[in-house]
C-alpha cells in the first residue's frame, strides 16, 4: 500500500497528534477534524480524529486540563480511540482509551507526574 505524506503507525499517530497541537494549539479548535493515514499490519486507512472541548481529568498522577481527541469507528470492527492530551506536558497523552467493536476496552491512565514542558 502506498504511504501518504505524514503517514503514521498506530502508536506514533498519538504522538503526532500531540505534536500538531503543541506546535499550533489555536489551529485546532473544538470540532476540527484531523486526518492521518494510520498503518497497521494489514492496512493503511485514514483515521479521522475530532478535536473536542477542553476537559478536566482527575487521574492517579493528578488533575489535568486536557484536550480530547476522538476517532469514531467508520467500518465494522474498527476500534474507537479516545486521547486526552495535556497542554502542560506538551500535549502528550495522559489518558488513552481504546474500545473494540464488541465493547472490550483498554483504558491507560498516567499514574505518576512527569516534568512539565517549558512554556511556549
Amino acid at each position: 500500500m502506498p504511504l501518504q505524506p505524514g503517514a503514521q503507525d498506530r502508536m506514533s499517530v498519538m504522538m503526532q497528534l500531540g505534536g500538531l497541537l503543541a506546535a499550533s494549539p489555536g489551529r485546532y479548535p473544538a470540532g476540527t477534524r484531523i486526518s492521518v493515514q494510520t498503518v497497521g499490519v494489514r492496512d493503511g486507512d485514514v483515521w479521522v480524529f475530532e478535536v473536542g472541548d477542553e476537559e478536566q481529568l482527575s487521574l492517579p498522577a493528578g488533575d489535568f486540563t486536557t484536550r480530547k481527541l476522538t476517532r469514531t469507528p467508520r467500518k465494522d470492527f474498527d476500534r474507537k480511540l479516545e486521547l486526552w492530551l495535556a497542554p502542560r506536558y506538551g500535549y502528550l497523552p495522559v489518558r488513552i482509551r481504546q474500545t473494540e467493536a464488541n465493547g472490550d476496552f483498554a483504558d491507560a491512565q498516567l499514574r505518576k507526574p512527569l516534568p512539565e514542558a517549558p512554556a511556549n
Side-chain angles (χ1 to χ4, degrees):
M1 167 168 290
L3 296 179
Q4 299 173 7
Q8 302 290 317
D9 64 39
R10 291 178 180 197
M11 181 61 87
S12 66
V13 71
M14 294 181 247
M15 299 302 136
Q16 178 67 19
L17 292 166
L20 290 171
L21 267 72
S24 187
R27 186 174 172 192
Y28 301 99
T32 301
R33 293 176 182 253
I34 303 171
S35 299
V36 180
Q37 184 187 30
T38 306
V39 179
V41 176
R42 292 181 277 290
D43 58 16
D45 293 333
V46 174
W47 285 12
V48 179
F49 292 85
E50 184 166 343
V51 179
D53 291 321
E54 194 173 82
E55 289 188 18
Q56 300 297 315
L57 286 186
S58 212
L59 300 174
D63 295 332
F64 296 91
T65 299
T66 65
R67 293 296 305 272
K68 183 179 180 186
L69 278 71
T70 304
R71 175 198 183 230
T72 302
R74 298 190 311 180
K75 299 187 283 186
D76 290 343
F77 304 108
D78 275 355
R79 72 176 42 113
K80 180 178 183 179
L81 181 60
E82 298 166 280
L83 307 170
W84 288 264
L85 308 176
R88 87 177 201 210
Y89 285 162
Y91 289 90
L92 287 173
V94 292
R95 182 177 181 195
I96 302 168
R97 182 179 169 105
Q98 294 185 91
T99 305
E100 301 297 332
N102 67 2
D104 289 348
F105 67 90
D107 192 351
Q109 300 180 18
L110 186 66
R111 301 185 57 75
K112 295 181 182 177
L114 301 172
E116 291 191 23
N120 291 347

